[in-house]
Amino acid sequence: MRFQVFDVGHGFCALLTADNGNLVLFDCGHSDSFRPSVHLAATDCTAVDALVITNFDHDHVSDLPNLLSILPVQTLYRNRTIPTAALVRLKLEGRPLSPGLQSALYLHNTYTADRAAPLDFAGVQIRTYCNSYPVFTDTNNLSMATFLFYDSMGILVPGDLERPGWLELLKRPEFRVDLARTQILVASHHGRESGFCAEAFACCSPDIVVISDEAKQYASQENTYSCRAKGLQWSDGSIRRVLTTRRDGHITVTKQIGLPYVVRTSKLAPPM
């Protein structure tokens, strides 16, 4: 199994490639130097088996029109509790709908039926959680938090959840159980302070935290998480607790059954 977090600047895009070749794409953000549509077009895949829209914000779906022009999406994971009309109202506040958001809203409105048979991701278990509309009426706290479990490894992709949304999900015993199984945590809301929830770490003690962003927004952005992670020994002997796309480029996690997972980056980063 391979899980990649791509360097798309301020945005998010990740890809799970199962052992049978099936794909789960998490969001569809892009940068000047990386587009998921171009990346997938260069492979031999014929479809995106599952697309997870963690948050209906432009930076999470900016390359979606290009992707849909070349590859079909077989199934869609997103927060189904939000009516399309409500999403349109939320996203029209202060700005017109971007092409990426228009494509995301089209999928949200049309992918309404469940598949007759679940997709096979070769042993990868996908578990999703989200708060309900109108308990929350902002797209960040309506993010879809997605757990991936494979062999003994757990990964959490929480979208742009902010502290109130975390606290609501933490009321659910099954969410807390899954959180305790998480070794790799993608920092919510690009590592920003608003996405940090100290209470979540009463259940979760990750090995490493991954931040997808183009620049630090405040001085403690990485330190806030580094003191919560156990750390992994890096190739130069240092202990890394936080990896960022800003500093490390694309971040790839690979896992084989019965073996420890391995983390690699596309840039040679100095010790933290």
Side-chain angles (χ1 to χ4, degrees), residues 71-152:
L71 289 173
V73 171
Q74 301 288 359
T75 192
L76 179 68
Y77 292 86
R78 81 286 194 195
N79 189 335
R80 288 190 173 193
T81 72
I82 320 170
T84 302
L87 266 175
V88 171
R89 287 196 301 271
L90 285 171
K91 303 317 297 184
L92 280 175
E93 292 177 358
R95 65 182 66 186
L97 292 176
S98 68
L101 279 171
Q102 291 178 38
S103 294
L105 290 166
Y106 168 77
L107 293 179
H108 182 57
N109 195 47
T110 55
Y111 280 62
T112 56
D114 293 324
R115 290 177 57 89
L119 288 167
D120 177 17
F121 293 108
V124 177
Q125 181 186 17
I126 301 173
R127 292 175 58 82
T128 61
Y129 297 86
C130 53
N131 294 309
S132 296
Y133 179 93
V135 175
F136 288 93
T137 57
D138 64 289
T139 54
N140 283 353
N141 284 310
L142 291 168
S143 291
M144 173 164 279
T146 306
F147 291 93
L148 301 173
F149 296 113
Y150 180 73
D151 198 22
S152 59

Side-chain angles (χ1 to χ4, degrees), residues 196-216:
F196 179 77
C197 179
E199 291 84 348
F201 292 94
C203 305
C204 179
S205 183
D207 294 335
I208 201 160
V209 175
V210 174
I211 296 176
S212 174
D213 207 356
E214 62 185 349
K216 285 186 181 181

Side-chain angles (χ1 to χ4, degrees), residues 207-208 226 229-243 270-272:
D207 294 335
I208 201 160
S226 64
K230 297 175 184 175
L232 295 175
Q233 186 166 0
W234 215 239
S235 57
D236 61 2
S238 63
I239 301 297
R240 299 292 306 274
R241 293 179 173 84
V242 176
L243 298 178
M272 291 196 63

